[in-house]
Amino acid sequence: MHATARLLLMLAALTLLSGRAQAQDWHHVHLAATDRAEAAAWYVKYMEGEPGEGVAGAVFGNTNINIWERDAGFEGSVGSSLDHIGFSFSDLEAKLAEFEAAGIKILSPMRGFRDTKIAFIEDPWGTKIEVLQDVNRLGFHHVHLLMDEPVEAQEWFVNVFGGEATDFLDAITAVDYQDYWLFLSPNRSDGPLAPTLGRSADHLGWIVDHEDPHWINDRVKISYVTGPGGVNIEVLMLGNRQQ
């Protein structure tokens, strides 16, 4: 059996035996940009995050937008299974006016969706962003994945990383991580979607306490697994290397 498959089975089994992961185990979304400092400042200014330390470009409550600096030429999020990320604001109309004034690329104008308002923009490095007005959850709001089988993918994420299987606004298959959402919609493209690895939205990250990844410094061990639809997932274990 391939090492990644063995790791997935181990994660799923241990999660089910020890109880589902809690919401705070969601850790980050890792993006790519040609200038890390510029991208960090962009997310702090326009998405209203706090400056991060280390690899974290911007911090939104319990989750980070981590940023890798890469040479130009990587592809954007659209076309992969990680289609876009989402941020919620109390006044979307005012926020869109701010984006227009700053010359930010607006992919679609504001429209109503169920009990909220939504629009789409793109960051300068190719990541698609949904901006919405969900007063119940402001700030970093969701990651939206496209899947051939959204319900099966929902079950996978709940079994491996916890959260509550539900629907968002009775319309979108979702996993609720208390502060943030994972949305899963059908792949309606003509062909298969690309894996996320190497694109502008590279991977998602969760913290676990029963993994055996490798140390990257004296406090953090990491490993990578491939989730449904080719979603690249980093699993982290926080500890002390000296112990």
Side-chain angles (χ1 to χ4, degrees):
M1 183 182 294
H2 192 278
T4 297
R6 288 197 301 271
L7 182 56
L8 283 172
L9 289 173
M10 181 184 71
L11 275 170
L14 287 173
T15 302
L16 288 169
L17 288 171
S18 61
R20 291 176 176 172
Q22 299 301 309
Q24 62 266 25
D25 290 339
W26 175 301
H27 187 261
H28 68 264
V29 180
H30 215 133
L31 308 180
T34 52
D35 187 315
R36 183 189 174 279
E38 182 183 353
W42 191 92
Y43 275 90
V44 168
K45 180 176 182 179
Y46 294 111
M47 298 299 109
E48 302 180 7
E50 296 293 329
E53 297 181 358
V55 71
V59 178
F60 299 85
N62 292 324
T63 201
N64 298 339
I65 295 295
N66 292 355
I67 298 170
W68 272 331
E69 188 165 306
R70 289 179 176 161
D71 293 336
F74 52 85
E75 295 187 78
S77 62
V78 174
S80 79
S81 49
L82 201 171
D83 185 75
H84 64 271
I85 59 178
F87 295 84
S88 176
F89 302 96
S90 58
D91 187 341
L92 183 57
E93 186 173 1
K95 199 66 187 176
L96 284 170
E98 178 187 348
F99 294 153
E100 282 193 272
I104 292 171
K105 185 176 182 179
I106 296 177
L107 301 176
S108 64
M110 186 174 68
R111 63 181 176 87
F113 177 75
R114 299 296 174 99
D115 295 330
T116 189
K117 302 173 184 176
I118 67 171
F120 288 91
I121 66 170
E122 185 177 272
D123 81 7
W125 304 275
T127 294
K128 181 180 175 182
I129 300 173
E130 180 177 350
V131 288
L132 67 159
Q133 187 172 305
D134 179 1
V135 295
N136 295 311
R137 294 192 191 182
L138 300 175
F140 178 79
H141 190 267
H142 68 265
V143 170
H144 204 136
L145 306 180
L146 302 181
M147 294 284 150
D148 290 331
E149 301 291 343
V151 175
E152 290 183 11
Q154 178 193 52
E155 181 179 357
W156 188 93
F157 279 100
V158 171
N159 285 342
V160 177
F161 294 114
E164 178 186 356
T166 185
D167 293 324
F168 179 68
L169 299 179
D170 296 320
I172 301 172
T173 301
V175 182
D176 186 353
Y177 288 98
Q178 296 180 11
D179 294 321
Y180 323 110
W181 294 92
L182 184 68
F183 294 162
L184 304 120
S185 291
N187 170 21
R188 301 192 186 283
S189 64
D190 293 334
L193 293 162
T196 64
L197 181 64
R199 300 180 79 101
S200 66
D202 185 277
H203 66 265
L204 308 179
W206 272 268
I207 296 174
V208 298
D209 60 5
H210 48 253
E211 234 291 70
D212 190 24
H214 65 273
W215 290 101
I216 60 169
N217 57 41
D218 287 339
R219 293 189 60 253
V220 180
K221 295 193 290 184
I222 67 168
S223 186
Y224 290 91
V225 298
T226 302
V231 176
N232 194 29
I233 298 173
E234 179 180 331
V235 289
L236 302 91
M237 180 176 178
L238 305 183
N240 189 331
R241 192 172 191 172
Q242 308 307 316
Q243 293 180 347

